[in-house]
Amino acid sequence: MNVPDSIEIKKINGNGLFAKELIKKGSNVFHFDGKIDDDAHTNPESLQIDKDKFLESTAKFDDFLNHSCEPNCYIDSQNLNLVALREIQIGEELSFNYNTAEYDLINMVENCSFKCTCGSKNCIGEVKGFRYLSLEQKKKIQKFISPFLRKKFEQES
């Protein structure tokens, strides 16, 4: 498992990715790899990149990237890079908002919705996908949503 030098996997409440060094705002933390497939032929750790296109998990370190309702990273879905939203301190867990990439975690082949335990004052409680967010919640994360979700959002508005 080729983990980038700047991060490490730690087990706290499950596995997570943590900064081993200061990560500057706007830095590419790592690049996602994997093959692209449809929902029926992928796994729960996949990353949605279009309506029925998912970047399948490679069962590498990136599977340990956890959700937060107030994340310190986002996924640049054009280049499939994890990018730092702000300066990330040594020892801080890396996270991104799953709702910026996933439209519907309930209607997947395997229901992948879950109770959020991020502890943020703005925690949404249960992560079900972009589809289930209020208009206000969608607007808050609009800048970081994938092109696919942006199209869905424009159709809804």
Side-chain angles (χ1 to χ4, degrees):
M1 197 178 310
N2 291 334
V3 181
D5 291 339
S6 62
I7 61 177
E8 65 183 330
I9 299 168
K10 284 187 186 176
K11 188 172 188 96
I12 294 183
N13 293 325
N15 288 319
L17 299 180
F18 292 81
K20 284 174 47 179
E21 57 189 46
L22 182 73
I23 300 172
K24 297 209 180 279
K25 178 181 178 177
S27 298
N28 287 335
V29 181
F30 63 80
H31 178 76
F32 290 89
D33 291 318
K35 77 174 193 178
I36 296 173
D37 216 331
D38 62 22
D39 188 21
H41 297 97
T42 192
N43 53 33
E45 291 82 21
S46 66
L47 178 67
Q48 186 171 20
I49 56 175
D50 209 336
K51 181 177 181 176
D52 195 29
K53 282 187 181 175
F54 294 80
L55 181 66
E56 190 168 321
S57 165
T58 57
K60 294 183 182 174
F61 71 92
D62 55 358
D63 284 356
F64 304 121
L65 180 62
N66 290 318
H67 165 83
S68 176
C69 294
E70 286 189 45
N72 53 19
C73 297
Y74 71 96
I75 296 177
D76 171 359
S77 54
Q78 300 291 70
N79 300 310
L80 295 176
N81 289 323
L82 184 71
V83 180
L85 273 168
R86 59 172 173 74
E87 189 170 272
I88 301 169
Q89 303 300 312
I90 295 171
E92 189 176 346
E93 183 173 11
L94 305 176
S95 61
F96 88 103
N97 186 333
Y98 288 8
N99 293 310
T100 61
E102 302 293 338
Y103 182 66
D104 192 345
L105 291 168
I106 292 173
N107 281 341
M108 296 177 78
V109 171
E110 184 177 328
N111 181 352
C112 297
S113 65
F114 61 92
K115 181 173 172 33
C116 183
T117 59
C118 74
S120 158
K121 64 180 178 178
N122 297 316
C123 182
I124 61 171
E126 186 175 3
V127 179
K128 299 187 250 181
F130 185 80
R131 174 183 187 174
Y132 300 96
L133 298 176
S134 69
L135 181 59
E136 182 181 314
Q137 290 169 322
K138 289 176 180 179
K139 284 181 178 179
K140 279 184 181 177
I141 64 171
Q142 182 178 3
K143 183 176 178 183
F144 304 105
I145 60 177
S146 69
F148 162 65
L149 293 181
R150 189 163 284 112
K151 281 186 258 177
K152 296 291 266 182
F153 184 59
E154 289 168 359
Q155 291 169 353
E156 294 171 1
S157 301

